[in-house]
Amino acid sequence: MPGLTTDPTTLFLVAFFAYLLGSVPFGVVITRLMGLGDLRQIGSGNIGATNVLRTGNKGAAAATLLLDGAKGAVAVLIARTVAGEDAAQLAGLAAFLGHLYPVFLNFRGGKGVATFLGVLLALAWPVGLACCATWLVVAILARISSLSALAAAASSTIWMLVLGQGQMLFLGMILTLLVFFRHAANIQRLRTGTEPKIGKK
């Protein structure tokens, strides 16, 4: 991880506002605005783009994917601009935690895949692109969103090493562990062969 060069007060403020940004549940907001119902009562109840897709509205799913990714990226980019690389990594983690445990939804959030990818793209775009490509390849081959997410997360630290971004390794390991933790139920269904395919209502 990068050296700590930013003062503690600034780091605290960065983490606080990044967490609030990450807590914005775009999937819930978009489905309500489009009259699609309460996303938490649809499909898996998850607030991410995969569950929005189960409403049958691809536009809403795409918007959720982009906005969930953007909030992680924006948090990183703003923190890097106003402080430094240490603040940028902290902001990425805080935004990711905000999506997983949003204050606006009683700390019951999503699984963070889009936000995870957005954070990586903003911190080091080659790593982010490599993880996105990993997700896409597995999604095309297996048609299972959770498996694609797990593959992208598991590959992230490998890509960091291959692409010379060793300063991100500690953050990458934390994010990967959180992704796997939030996908515990999916992992169990993958083992039993009952995990639904992408787009299944």
Side-chain angles (χ1 to χ4, degrees), residues 7 25 33 54 59 73 90 142 167 183 187 191:
D7 65 276
L33 288 176
R54 293 189 177 104
L90 179 61
Q167 79 282 0
H183 282 79
I187 293 171
R191 288 174 174 171

Side-chain angles (χ1 to χ4, degrees), residues 27-162:
V28 174
V29 173
I30 289 169
T31 50
R32 283 183 176 176
L33 288 176
M34 297 183 71
L36 300 173
D38 186 348
L39 185 59
R40 292 167 293 177
Q41 304 300 319
I42 297 170
S44 66
N46 186 40
I47 65 171
T50 299
N51 200 41
V52 175
L53 188 60
R54 293 189 177 104
T55 67
N57 192 310
K58 295 181 180 179
T64 300
L65 178 68
L66 291 174
L67 289 171
D68 279 348
K71 66 186 181 183
V74 168
V76 168
L77 294 175
I78 291 176
R80 178 181 283 153
T81 301
V82 302
E85 201 61 30
D86 55 342
Q89 289 202 20
L90 179 61
L93 176 59
F96 185 68
L97 289 172
H99 183 82
L100 301 188
Y101 307 103
V103 65
F104 305 121
L105 295 179
N106 296 317
F107 306 103
R108 298 176 181 176
K111 296 175 182 177
V113 180
T115 307
F116 168 79
L117 293 174
V119 166
L120 293 186
L121 283 167
L123 284 172
W125 64 265
V127 173
L129 284 180
C131 289
C132 288
T134 301
W135 188 98
L136 183 60
V137 168
V138 177
I140 291 172
L141 294 176
R143 303 294 298 171
I144 300 177
S145 179
S146 61
L147 183 60
S148 304
L150 293 168
S155 70
S156 63
T157 50
I158 298 173
W159 289 123
M160 289 172 193
L161 289 172
V162 170

